[in-house]
Amino acid sequence: MKKIIILTILICGIVLLVPFTNKPALLSVFKLTEEPEHIIVRGSSGSALTVNISFGDVDVENWIANLKAPYPLLFLDMDWVDRFPETVELIKEKNIPVALLGHPGEAYHQNTELLIGQLERFEKVFGAQPLWFRTADEDFPYPLRTALWEAEVNALGSSAIYTGGEVPPVIEGEILSVPLHRDVRVSFGDLKNLMDSREFHPLEDVLFAMSVKLKKIPK
């Protein structure tokens, strides 16, 4: 009888503790800004790493295979996703957070249908619409921001873009962006130096520390 009573108390205690130990769920939030004029560029505490991938084969796959949690947020170009399905499966198996990397901002000035097509392709591969979107050059023209707002996808810029060489000093709440493109590409040696230079946290931890820093872009 005593064993039953003790077991019951333990179960009740676990049930009562669960709601208080869970962090706020970022995935339940789709609009972190109040209007499409804003993009998110910083949090308030810690450092977050984001990596833009549109080019790379075996080298990228090997880097992903050796990644340890907490993982960076990977912004993936959909043409790259289609070319390397095995690497994409590895990303999914490791449960690495992903977001949608678009074309340079100029491509969306008169063509918001381009975004819709990219969102559909992303959802087909990953089973859900992305929470985050970034253009390849971090230029967010107004028609694009409006389309993102209507699609319930957040525009995420960065505090700084790291292109290799000397590692920048730590700034609280920073969101660092690293390019892995054909024309602009950080070496994996430099990327390792950056990752070893400070403790990186998941993007939601940096943003929800809180407050989110916004950059207002005029129409």
Side-chain angles (χ1 to χ4, degrees):
M1 184 67 180
K2 284 185 177 180
K3 288 184 178 180
I4 295 175
I5 293 173
I6 292 171
L7 182 61
T8 303
I9 292 172
L10 286 173
I11 293 173
C12 290
I14 292 170
V15 170
L16 289 172
L17 282 173
V18 166
F20 297 100
T21 55
N22 285 344
K23 293 182 178 180
L26 178 64
L27 294 180
S28 66
V29 179
F30 56 80
K31 287 182 181 177
L32 298 185
T33 62
E34 296 180 356
E35 52 189 22
E37 280 75 15
H38 293 99
I39 62 171
I40 299 165
V41 294
R42 276 183 62 193
S44 63
S45 177
S47 303
L49 179 63
T50 64
V51 181
N52 303 337
I53 303 177
S54 68
F55 183 80
D57 189 354
V58 176
D59 54 350
V60 174
E61 183 177 7
N62 289 338
W63 176 69
I64 289 171
N66 290 298
L67 275 179
K68 306 294 183 185
Y71 299 121
L73 174 62
L74 304 183
F75 278 86
L76 305 180
D77 173 85
M78 289 311 300
D79 290 336
W80 181 88
V81 167
D82 290 342
R83 289 196 302 271
F84 300 106
E86 292 182 0
T87 305
V88 171
E89 284 304 311
L90 177 60
I91 291 171
K92 291 161 72 174
E93 286 172 12
K94 297 187 71 169
N95 201 27
I96 299 174
V98 294
L100 176 58
L101 180 66
H103 294 183
E106 179 66 28
Y108 300 93
H109 272 288
Q110 302 297 329
N111 186 13
T112 55
E113 290 300 316
L114 174 61
L115 172 67
I116 303 305
Q118 292 170 333
L119 291 174
E120 290 175 350
R121 291 168 67 188
F122 185 98
E123 186 169 1
K124 183 177 180 180
V125 173
F126 295 102
Q129 185 168 269
L131 181 61
W132 308 104
F133 175 87
R134 174 184 287 162
T135 58
D137 56 3
E138 297 196 19
D139 174 31
F140 295 86
Y142 186 75
L144 171 61
R145 298 198 308 275
T146 301
L148 288 169
W149 177 259
E150 293 174 352
E152 301 180 351
V153 177
N154 292 289
L156 185 72
S158 65
S159 311
I161 300 173
Y162 176 69
T163 56
E166 185 177 353
V167 173
V170 177
I171 299 175
E172 281 298 307
E174 66 186 354
I175 300 172
L176 297 182
S177 172
V178 175
L180 292 179
H181 307 311
R182 181 188 293 272
D183 52 343
V184 182
R185 186 173 181 81
V186 173
S187 72
F188 287 100
D190 281 346
L191 180 51
K192 182 180 185 303
N193 290 338
L194 176 65
M195 295 180 73
D196 291 342
S197 70
R198 68 259 274 154
E199 183 179 0
F200 284 105
H201 302 276
L203 178 64
E204 60 265 33
D205 289 356
V206 174
L207 293 179
F208 283 92
M210 179 110 176
S211 58
V212 173
K213 306 298 181 182
L214 305 174
K215 179 180 179 181
K216 186 166 184 176
I217 303 177
K219 295 184 182 181

